[in-house]
Short mmCIF file of all heavy atoms in Angstrom, two decimals:
data_model
loop_
_atom_site.label_atom_id
_atom_site.label_comp_id
_atom_site.label_asym_id
_atom_site.label_seq_id
_atom_site.Cartn_x
_atom_site.Cartn_y
_atom_site.Cartn_z
N VAL C 1 2.57 -16.70 20.31
CA VAL C 1 2.75 -15.50 19.46
C VAL C 1 4.19 -15.10 19.43
O VAL C 1 4.78 -14.69 18.51
CB VAL C 1 1.80 -14.36 19.93
CG1 VAL C 1 2.26 -13.01 19.34
CG2 VAL C 1 0.49 -14.66 19.68
N ILE C 2 4.85 -15.10 20.62
CA ILE C 2 6.26 -14.70 20.74
C ILE C 2 7.16 -15.69 20.05
O ILE C 2 7.97 -15.19 19.32
CB ILE C 2 6.56 -14.68 22.31
CG1 ILE C 2 5.86 -13.50 22.91
CG2 ILE C 2 8.15 -14.60 22.41
CD1 ILE C 2 5.88 -13.33 24.45
N ASP C 3 6.81 -16.96 20.06
CA ASP C 3 7.79 -17.97 19.42
C ASP C 3 7.43 -18.13 17.85
O ASP C 3 8.37 -18.31 17.12
CB ASP C 3 7.53 -19.31 20.03
CG ASP C 3 8.08 -19.38 21.45
OD1 ASP C 3 8.95 -18.54 21.81
OD2 ASP C 3 7.73 -20.32 22.25
N HIS C 4 6.19 -17.99 17.55
CA HIS C 4 5.82 -18.20 16.10
C HIS C 4 4.64 -17.27 15.65
O HIS C 4 3.45 -17.69 15.42
CB HIS C 4 5.32 -19.54 15.93
CG HIS C 4 6.25 -20.63 16.42
ND1 HIS C 4 7.38 -20.99 15.70
CD2 HIS C 4 6.17 -21.39 17.51
CE1 HIS C 4 8.09 -21.93 16.48
NE2 HIS C 4 7.27 -22.23 17.58
N PRO C 5 4.95 -15.97 15.62
CA PRO C 5 3.83 -15.01 15.34
C PRO C 5 3.11 -15.26 14.08
O PRO C 5 1.92 -14.97 13.95
CB PRO C 5 4.55 -13.71 15.36
CG PRO C 5 5.99 -13.93 15.19
CD PRO C 5 6.29 -15.35 15.62
N GLU C 6 3.72 -15.70 12.99
CA GLU C 6 3.11 -15.82 11.72
C GLU C 6 2.12 -17.12 11.73
O GLU C 6 1.17 -17.11 10.95
CB GLU C 6 4.11 -16.15 10.62
CG GLU C 6 5.02 -14.97 10.44
CD GLU C 6 6.26 -14.97 11.39
OE1 GLU C 6 6.61 -16.12 11.89
OE2 GLU C 6 6.77 -13.91 11.68
N ALA C 7 2.42 -18.03 12.61
CA ALA C 7 1.60 -19.30 12.68
C ALA C 7 0.44 -19.21 13.59
O ALA C 7 -0.44 -20.03 13.61
CB ALA C 7 2.47 -20.44 12.98
N MET C 8 0.28 -18.07 14.39
CA MET C 8 -0.66 -18.07 15.43
C MET C 8 -2.01 -17.84 14.90
O MET C 8 -2.32 -17.03 14.08
CB MET C 8 -0.29 -16.98 16.46
CG MET C 8 -1.15 -16.75 17.57
SD MET C 8 -1.10 -18.22 18.60
CE MET C 8 -2.73 -18.17 19.45
N ASN C 9 -3.03 -18.67 15.54
CA ASN C 9 -4.40 -18.42 15.25
C ASN C 9 -5.07 -18.40 16.74
O ASN C 9 -5.21 -19.34 17.29
CB ASN C 9 -4.97 -19.63 14.52
CG ASN C 9 -6.48 -19.41 14.26
OD1 ASN C 9 -7.15 -18.60 14.94
ND2 ASN C 9 -7.04 -20.13 13.39
N SER C 10 -5.19 -17.18 17.17
CA SER C 10 -5.68 -16.96 18.55
C SER C 10 -7.03 -17.56 18.82
O SER C 10 -7.39 -17.88 19.94
CB SER C 10 -5.66 -15.42 18.84
OG SER C 10 -6.56 -14.77 18.00
N PHE C 11 -7.80 -17.69 17.76
CA PHE C 11 -9.09 -18.35 18.03
C PHE C 11 -9.06 -19.88 18.36
O PHE C 11 -10.03 -20.31 18.89
CB PHE C 11 -10.02 -18.07 16.88
CG PHE C 11 -10.38 -16.65 16.71
CD1 PHE C 11 -9.90 -15.91 15.63
CD2 PHE C 11 -11.27 -16.06 17.56
CE1 PHE C 11 -10.17 -14.51 15.55
CE2 PHE C 11 -11.61 -14.77 17.50
CZ PHE C 11 -10.99 -13.90 16.54
N GLU C 12 -7.98 -20.51 18.11
CA GLU C 12 -7.84 -21.83 18.52
C GLU C 12 -7.88 -21.95 20.04
O GLU C 12 -8.56 -22.77 20.70
CB GLU C 12 -6.60 -22.52 18.03
CG GLU C 12 -6.58 -22.76 16.55
CD GLU C 12 -5.29 -23.23 16.05
OE1 GLU C 12 -4.36 -23.78 16.82
OE2 GLU C 12 -4.99 -23.20 14.86
N GLU C 13 -7.06 -21.06 20.70
CA GLU C 13 -7.16 -21.05 22.21
C GLU C 13 -8.50 -20.52 22.71
O GLU C 13 -8.94 -20.98 23.82
CB GLU C 13 -6.01 -20.16 22.78
CG GLU C 13 -4.64 -20.70 22.50
CD GLU C 13 -4.48 -21.97 23.24
OE1 GLU C 13 -5.08 -22.28 24.23
OE2 GLU C 13 -3.65 -22.79 22.75
N PHE C 14 -9.20 -19.75 22.00
CA PHE C 14 -10.47 -19.34 22.44
C PHE C 14 -11.45 -20.49 22.56
O PHE C 14 -12.18 -20.67 23.44
CB PHE C 14 -11.10 -18.33 21.33
CG PHE C 14 -12.46 -17.95 21.47
CD1 PHE C 14 -12.99 -17.29 22.66
CD2 PHE C 14 -13.41 -18.37 20.52
CE1 PHE C 14 -14.40 -16.86 22.69
CE2 PHE C 14 -14.77 -18.06 20.69
CZ PHE C 14 -15.29 -17.25 21.76
N ILE C 15 -11.48 -21.44 21.61
CA ILE C 15 -12.29 -22.59 21.76
C ILE C 15 -11.93 -23.45 22.97
O ILE C 15 -12.77 -23.91 23.70
CB ILE C 15 -12.13 -23.44 20.43
CG1 ILE C 15 -12.59 -22.66 19.18
CG2 ILE C 15 -12.97 -24.77 20.47
CD1 ILE C 15 -14.03 -22.09 19.22
N HIS C 16 -10.64 -23.67 23.15
CA HIS C 16 -10.23 -24.36 24.39
C HIS C 16 -10.66 -23.68 25.74
O HIS C 16 -11.08 -24.33 26.54
CB HIS C 16 -8.66 -24.57 24.34
CG HIS C 16 -8.11 -25.39 23.28
ND1 HIS C 16 -8.41 -26.75 23.09
CD2 HIS C 16 -7.26 -25.02 22.25
CE1 HIS C 16 -7.80 -27.18 22.01
NE2 HIS C 16 -7.13 -26.20 21.49
N ALA C 17 -10.50 -22.39 25.63
CA ALA C 17 -10.96 -21.62 26.81
C ALA C 17 -12.40 -21.78 27.18
O ALA C 17 -12.82 -22.00 28.23
CB ALA C 17 -10.66 -20.11 26.64
N LEU C 18 -13.23 -21.75 26.15
CA LEU C 18 -14.70 -22.01 26.31
C LEU C 18 -14.97 -23.34 27.01
O LEU C 18 -15.92 -23.43 27.65
CB LEU C 18 -15.41 -21.96 24.92
CG LEU C 18 -15.52 -20.54 24.29
CD1 LEU C 18 -16.17 -20.57 23.04
CD2 LEU C 18 -16.36 -19.57 25.26
N GLN C 19 -14.22 -24.38 26.64
CA GLN C 19 -14.39 -25.64 27.18
C GLN C 19 -14.00 -25.75 28.72
O GLN C 19 -14.52 -26.50 29.52
CB GLN C 19 -13.68 -26.69 26.38
CG GLN C 19 -14.20 -26.73 25.04
CD GLN C 19 -13.20 -27.62 24.15
OE1 GLN C 19 -12.05 -27.80 24.42
NE2 GLN C 19 -13.75 -28.06 22.98
N ILE C 20 -13.05 -25.01 29.15
CA ILE C 20 -12.42 -25.07 30.48
C ILE C 20 -13.07 -24.03 31.45
O ILE C 20 -13.28 -24.32 32.64
CB ILE C 20 -10.88 -24.87 30.38
CG1 ILE C 20 -10.19 -25.96 29.63
CG2 ILE C 20 -10.27 -24.78 31.81
CD1 ILE C 20 -10.45 -27.32 30.15
N ILE C 21 -13.31 -22.83 30.99
CA ILE C 21 -13.82 -21.77 31.83
C ILE C 21 -14.86 -22.15 32.93
O ILE C 21 -14.85 -21.87 34.02
CB ILE C 21 -14.16 -20.51 31.07
CG1 ILE C 21 -12.85 -19.92 30.48
CG2 ILE C 21 -14.97 -19.52 31.87
CD1 ILE C 21 -13.17 -18.78 29.47
N PRO C 22 -15.94 -22.97 32.50
CA PRO C 22 -16.96 -23.25 33.48
C PRO C 22 -16.58 -24.19 34.59
O PRO C 22 -17.34 -24.20 35.48
CB PRO C 22 -18.09 -23.95 32.58
CG PRO C 22 -17.71 -23.82 31.18
CD PRO C 22 -16.19 -23.43 31.14
N ARG C 23 -15.45 -24.86 34.58
CA ARG C 23 -15.06 -25.77 35.57
C ARG C 23 -14.86 -25.10 36.76
O ARG C 23 -14.41 -23.95 36.95
CB ARG C 23 -13.73 -26.52 35.12
CG ARG C 23 -13.92 -27.43 34.01
CD ARG C 23 -12.67 -28.28 33.78
NE ARG C 23 -12.84 -29.04 32.65
CZ ARG C 23 -11.85 -29.68 31.93
NH1 ARG C 23 -10.74 -29.59 32.42
NH2 ARG C 23 -12.16 -30.39 30.86
N TYR C 24 -15.36 -25.65 37.86
CA TYR C 24 -15.22 -25.14 39.22
C TYR C 24 -16.07 -24.04 39.53
O TYR C 24 -15.90 -23.30 40.45
CB TYR C 24 -13.76 -24.81 39.55
CG TYR C 24 -12.78 -26.03 39.28
CD1 TYR C 24 -11.86 -25.79 38.21
CD2 TYR C 24 -12.80 -27.18 39.86
CE1 TYR C 24 -11.05 -26.84 37.94
CE2 TYR C 24 -12.03 -28.26 39.58
CZ TYR C 24 -11.13 -27.99 38.56
OH TYR C 24 -10.20 -28.98 38.16
N SER C 25 -17.01 -23.71 38.70
CA SER C 25 -17.99 -22.69 38.93
C SER C 25 -19.30 -23.14 38.42
O SER C 25 -19.43 -24.19 37.87
CB SER C 25 -17.65 -21.34 38.21
OG SER C 25 -17.76 -21.47 36.85
N SER C 26 -20.41 -22.42 38.70
CA SER C 26 -21.77 -22.85 38.27
C SER C 26 -22.11 -22.56 36.83
O SER C 26 -23.15 -22.77 36.34
CB SER C 26 -22.83 -22.28 39.15
OG SER C 26 -22.86 -20.87 39.17
N GLY C 27 -21.20 -21.89 36.02
CA GLY C 27 -21.46 -21.61 34.67
C GLY C 27 -20.44 -20.83 34.04
O GLY C 27 -19.41 -20.51 34.54
N LYS C 28 -20.52 -20.42 32.69
CA LYS C 28 -19.62 -19.63 31.92
C LYS C 28 -19.88 -18.21 32.32
O LYS C 28 -20.72 -17.58 31.70
CB LYS C 28 -19.83 -19.82 30.49
CG LYS C 28 -19.54 -21.21 30.01
CD LYS C 28 -19.78 -21.29 28.43
CE LYS C 28 -19.80 -22.70 27.98
NZ LYS C 28 -20.15 -22.81 26.69
N PHE C 29 -19.11 -17.63 33.15
CA PHE C 29 -19.48 -16.28 33.68
C PHE C 29 -18.25 -15.32 33.20
O PHE C 29 -17.80 -14.51 34.13
CB PHE C 29 -19.53 -16.27 35.16
CG PHE C 29 -20.85 -16.88 35.59
CD1 PHE C 29 -20.99 -18.24 35.65
CD2 PHE C 29 -22.01 -16.15 35.82
CE1 PHE C 29 -22.18 -18.91 35.99
CE2 PHE C 29 -23.20 -16.73 36.16
CZ PHE C 29 -23.30 -18.13 36.15
N LEU C 30 -17.94 -15.39 32.01
CA LEU C 30 -17.15 -14.36 31.34
C LEU C 30 -17.97 -13.83 30.11
O LEU C 30 -18.66 -14.68 29.56
CB LEU C 30 -15.78 -14.83 30.80
CG LEU C 30 -14.69 -14.99 31.84
CD1 LEU C 30 -13.47 -15.55 31.18
CD2 LEU C 30 -14.35 -13.67 32.63
N THR C 31 -18.03 -12.57 29.88
CA THR C 31 -18.73 -12.19 28.75
C THR C 31 -18.17 -12.74 27.49
O THR C 31 -16.87 -12.59 27.21
CB THR C 31 -18.70 -10.62 28.54
OG1 THR C 31 -19.18 -10.10 29.86
CG2 THR C 31 -19.57 -10.11 27.46
N LEU C 32 -18.92 -13.59 26.66
CA LEU C 32 -18.49 -14.13 25.56
C LEU C 32 -17.67 -13.27 24.52
O LEU C 32 -16.62 -13.49 24.04
CB LEU C 32 -19.47 -14.92 24.80
CG LEU C 32 -19.21 -15.68 23.63
CD1 LEU C 32 -18.19 -16.89 23.91
CD2 LEU C 32 -20.47 -16.33 22.89
N GLY C 33 -18.37 -12.09 24.30
CA GLY C 33 -17.75 -11.08 23.39
C GLY C 33 -16.39 -10.56 23.90
O GLY C 33 -15.40 -10.39 23.16
N LEU C 34 -16.36 -10.34 25.16
CA LEU C 34 -15.09 -9.83 25.80
C LEU C 34 -13.95 -10.94 25.71
O LEU C 34 -12.73 -10.68 25.32
CB LEU C 34 -15.31 -9.56 27.31
CG LEU C 34 -14.01 -9.03 28.08
CD1 LEU C 34 -13.57 -7.71 27.46
CD2 LEU C 34 -14.53 -8.79 29.57
N LEU C 35 -14.31 -12.13 25.97
CA LEU C 35 -13.36 -13.30 25.84
C LEU C 35 -12.92 -13.43 24.33
O LEU C 35 -11.70 -13.51 24.10
CB LEU C 35 -14.05 -14.62 26.34
CG LEU C 35 -13.17 -15.75 26.31
CD1 LEU C 35 -12.05 -15.70 27.24
CD2 LEU C 35 -13.91 -17.06 26.73
N GLU C 36 -13.87 -13.40 23.43
CA GLU C 36 -13.56 -13.53 21.96
C GLU C 36 -12.62 -12.42 21.50
O GLU C 36 -11.70 -12.66 20.82
CB GLU C 36 -14.89 -13.57 21.22
CG GLU C 36 -14.69 -13.84 19.76
CD GLU C 36 -15.93 -13.96 19.06
OE1 GLU C 36 -16.96 -13.36 19.49
OE2 GLU C 36 -15.92 -14.42 17.91
N ALA C 37 -12.89 -11.17 21.94
CA ALA C 37 -12.07 -10.03 21.55
C ALA C 37 -10.64 -10.02 22.13
O ALA C 37 -9.74 -9.57 21.57
CB ALA C 37 -12.80 -8.73 21.97
N MET C 38 -10.57 -10.54 23.38
CA MET C 38 -9.27 -10.49 24.00
C MET C 38 -8.11 -11.25 23.41
O MET C 38 -7.04 -10.90 23.43
CB MET C 38 -9.51 -10.90 25.48
CG MET C 38 -8.35 -10.40 26.35
SD MET C 38 -8.08 -8.63 26.50
CE MET C 38 -9.14 -8.36 27.87
N PHE C 39 -8.50 -12.45 22.75
CA PHE C 39 -7.43 -13.34 22.14
C PHE C 39 -6.83 -12.59 21.01
O PHE C 39 -5.56 -12.42 20.98
CB PHE C 39 -7.93 -14.62 21.90
CG PHE C 39 -8.14 -15.59 22.93
CD1 PHE C 39 -9.34 -15.85 23.57
CD2 PHE C 39 -6.90 -16.19 23.41
CE1 PHE C 39 -9.54 -16.69 24.53
CE2 PHE C 39 -7.13 -17.17 24.48
CZ PHE C 39 -8.41 -17.33 25.11
N PRO C 40 -7.53 -12.02 20.06
CA PRO C 40 -6.84 -11.27 18.96
C PRO C 40 -6.18 -9.99 19.53
O PRO C 40 -5.15 -9.58 19.02
CB PRO C 40 -7.86 -10.99 17.97
CG PRO C 40 -9.20 -11.28 18.56
CD PRO C 40 -8.95 -12.15 19.75
N ALA C 41 -6.64 -9.42 20.63
CA ALA C 41 -6.11 -8.18 21.17
C ALA C 41 -4.75 -8.50 21.76
O ALA C 41 -3.76 -7.81 21.50
CB ALA C 41 -7.09 -7.56 22.22
N VAL C 42 -4.57 -9.67 22.37
CA VAL C 42 -3.33 -10.06 22.93
C VAL C 42 -2.36 -10.28 21.77
O VAL C 42 -1.19 -9.88 21.80
CB VAL C 42 -3.50 -11.24 23.85
CG1 VAL C 42 -2.07 -11.85 24.14
CG2 VAL C 42 -4.25 -10.92 25.13
N GLN C 43 -2.78 -10.97 20.79
CA GLN C 43 -2.03 -11.35 19.65
C GLN C 43 -1.50 -9.97 18.95
O GLN C 43 -0.32 -9.90 18.67
CB GLN C 43 -2.62 -12.22 18.63
CG GLN C 43 -1.79 -12.59 17.43
CD GLN C 43 -2.48 -13.49 16.51
OE1 GLN C 43 -3.65 -13.95 16.71
NE2 GLN C 43 -1.93 -13.83 15.42
N ALA C 44 -2.39 -9.09 18.75
CA ALA C 44 -2.09 -7.78 18.14
C ALA C 44 -1.07 -7.09 18.93
O ALA C 44 -0.13 -6.47 18.41
CB ALA C 44 -3.35 -7.00 17.84
N ARG C 45 -1.30 -7.04 20.29
CA ARG C 45 -0.40 -6.23 21.17
C ARG C 45 1.04 -6.77 21.13
O ARG C 45 1.97 -6.00 21.13
CB ARG C 45 -0.93 -6.20 22.55
CG ARG C 45 -0.10 -5.59 23.58
CD ARG C 45 0.16 -4.04 23.27
NE ARG C 45 1.04 -3.45 24.24
CZ ARG C 45 2.36 -3.33 23.96
NH1 ARG C 45 2.87 -3.68 22.83
NH2 ARG C 45 3.08 -2.73 24.85
N LEU C 46 1.15 -8.08 21.07
CA LEU C 46 2.49 -8.79 20.93
C LEU C 46 3.17 -8.70 19.61
O LEU C 46 4.36 -8.87 19.56
CB LEU C 46 2.34 -10.12 21.50
CG LEU C 46 1.95 -10.30 23.00
CD1 LEU C 46 1.74 -11.75 23.27
CD2 LEU C 46 3.09 -9.75 23.96
N THR C 47 2.47 -8.39 18.65
CA THR C 47 3.17 -8.46 17.25
C THR C 47 3.03 -7.03 16.59
O THR C 47 3.57 -6.90 15.43
CB THR C 47 2.45 -9.46 16.30
OG1 THR C 47 1.02 -9.09 16.24
CG2 THR C 47 2.54 -10.88 16.89
N VAL C 48 2.55 -5.98 17.23
CA VAL C 48 2.51 -4.69 16.57
C VAL C 48 3.92 -4.16 16.41
O VAL C 48 4.87 -4.39 17.18
CB VAL C 48 1.61 -3.67 17.40
CG1 VAL C 48 2.23 -3.34 18.80
CG2 VAL C 48 1.36 -2.40 16.72
#
């Protein structure tokens, strides 16, 4: 976002995160909605 704010699609990282988060634990233990909402929130905060 800092380097290329116009080109950013925060949901691309969301998909990668879903694949990695369960590693080293017994399951996906982050609220999906919270995780999904946080990526665009970070993007918005950095580009407002």
Side-chain angles (χ1 to χ4, degrees):
V1 167
I2 290 167
D3 292 342
H4 309 287
E6 300 81 28
M8 182 62 205
N9 179 345
S10 58
F11 290 108
E12 289 175 20
E13 290 299 331
F14 168 67
I15 299 302
H16 296 295
L18 287 177
Q19 295 167 341
I20 296 296
I21 286 172
R23 290 186 186 169
Y24 313 111
S25 69
S26 61
K28 294 180 195 173
F29 289 78
L30 281 180
T31 304
L32 182 63
L34 181 61
L35 182 65
E36 184 177 23
M38 196 64 88
F39 281 100
V42 167
Q43 182 177 355
R45 175 63 183 95
L46 292 172
T47 58
V48 68

